[in-house]
Structures are given as C-alpha cells and as structure tokens.
C-alpha cells in the first residue's frame, strides 16, 4: 500500500465518522445485506444515496463486520501426538495434526517450560486473539499441561506441571495432546 493509498483510506475513514447535518439512514438493512451478499446489487440511485450518506455508509460497514464475524470459521480444538519416529531425545516441539498449534518444550534451569504457539495463518486466529479465550492443553489421558490466554503474539506459556520430563510423561499418558477452549469457553 503506497503512502497515497494510506492517506486516501484515512480520508475515507474520516468521512465515515464525520456527521452531516440532516443525514439519516437512506437504505434499509435488508437492502444493505442483499448488496453485501451479492443477491441484489444496488440500483444507481441507491448507490448515489449510499455515497451521499456517511450514516448509511457506517451502517453498511457495521453490517459487513457482523457478516464477516458470522462467516468466520469456528474452532473447537486441535489434537496432536508424539510421532513414531521418535529419536528418544526430548521433543523440542510438537505440532497439532491440523498444523495450527505448536507446543514447545524447553529446558530452563533444570526445569521445563511449556509454550503454546498459535499459527497466525490459522483461519480462526484473528477471532481467537480478539476474543482472548481461555485455552487448555491436555495430555492423552486428559490431565492439564497448560492453561492460559494467548498474548498479543499468539503465545501462552507456563512451567511444566509434572515431575517426569516431557518425553517420558507424554509417552506414559497416551503420547498425545489436545489444545481446546477451557471448559465453559465458546
């Protein structure tokens, strides 16, 4: 995006926020929704009315955001497992089967640190980061390995909660893990 494009975008945004004396909604929500989903294009007079009414443009933008949120993919959980080609060394990172999450297991001062990382390209990443949902990582038998909220970088970390080191512990508890919203979270 060029500097000129950025200036034009800011000017358009200001026009949307600016009030115009006597402005009112000139198109019904049904007409705006039909234009958004492509089922009925706006007639030339409707398009001109839309462009002349910042209030109606703001309403169109609001309806577009609601539509985008409704169409956003929902995420209910991701599963991963230790791979059969294990070298016997402690796993440095485990990736869920869908590739959306990475679980990093890092030695730190004689203990272990667990870091959950969300792939920013995951289709549900923006919605999940915005929602600030509480997440839970469990082992193959359902015991908690980590629980928390993602930071702005899409990561959550905590000390390893078990006495056994991660490789041995995970092998003894189903050689699998799951990342999911914590109980009671959407």
């Amino acid at each position: 995006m060029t500097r000129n494009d950025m200036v034009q975008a800011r000017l358009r945004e200001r026009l949307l926020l600016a009030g115009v004396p006597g402005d009112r909604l000139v198109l019904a929500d049904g007409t705006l929704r039909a234009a958004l989903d492509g089922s009925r294009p706006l007639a030339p007079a409707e398009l001109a009315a839309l462009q002349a009414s910042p209030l109606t443009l703001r309403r169109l933008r609001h309806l577009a955001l609601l539509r985008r949120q409704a169409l956003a993919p929902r995420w209910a959980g991701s599963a991963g497992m230790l791979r059969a080609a294990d070298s016997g060394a402690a796993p440095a990172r485990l990736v869920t089967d869908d590739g959306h999450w990475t679980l990093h297991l890092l030695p730190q001062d004689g203990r272990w640190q667990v870091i959950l990382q969300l792939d920013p390209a995951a289709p549900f990443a923006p919605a999940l980061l915005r929602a600030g949902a509480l997440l839970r990582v469990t082992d193959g038998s359902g015991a908690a390995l980590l629980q928390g909220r993602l930071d702005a970088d899409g990561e959550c970390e905590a000390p390893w909660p078990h006495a056994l080191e991660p490789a041995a512990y995970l092998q003894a508890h189903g050689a699998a893990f799951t990342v999911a919203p914590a109980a009671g979270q959407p």
Side-chain angles (χ1 to χ4, degrees):
M1 182 179 259
T2 67
R3 183 163 170 30
N4 192 33
D5 291 339
M6 292 182 351
V7 169
Q8 294 240 349
R10 280 195 213 126
L11 287 173
R12 276 193 305 273
E13 187 70 22
R14 282 198 183 215
L15 283 174
L16 277 177
L17 297 175
V20 173
D23 191 12
R24 61 185 174 74
L25 286 175
V26 294
L27 297 172
D29 282 359
T31 302
L32 296 173
R33 284 190 186 101
L36 285 170
D37 68 21
S39 63
R40 180 178 135 352
L42 293 176
E46 291 172 327
L47 187 57
L50 176 65
Q51 291 173 337
S53 172
L55 183 62
T56 308
L57 282 170
R58 281 195 306 271
R59 183 64 182 163
L60 177 67
R61 183 176 76 169
H62 176 74
L63 292 173
L65 290 172
L66 290 177
R67 183 173 187 271
R68 186 180 321 155
Q69 287 173 352
L71 295 175
R74 299 278 183 212
W75 171 77
S78 300
M81 56 194 302
L82 294 175
R83 302 296 175 216
D86 183 15
S87 66
R93 66 185 193 96
L94 302 170
V95 180
T96 56
D97 296 339
D98 59 17
H100 297 314
W101 299 94
T102 303
L103 192 63
H104 299 275
L105 303 164
L106 306 171
Q108 193 174 58
D109 300 326
R111 298 195 44 92
W112 289 88
Q113 193 72 6
V114 184
I115 302 171
L116 177 65
Q117 181 181 34
L118 172 62
D119 178 358
F124 52 84
L128 198 59
L129 288 169
R130 201 172 28 256
L134 186 62
L135 301 174
R136 184 178 174 104
V137 180
T138 56
D139 63 29
S141 62
L145 301 176
L146 177 141
Q147 182 167 307
R149 298 181 196 287
L150 296 174
D151 62 18
D153 295 327
E155 295 180 352
C156 176
E157 72 178 273
W160 177 251
H162 303 288
L164 271 173
E165 69 176 48
Y169 179 87
L170 290 169
Q171 281 294 350
H173 292 87
F177 70 101
T178 302
V179 181
Q185 295 290 310

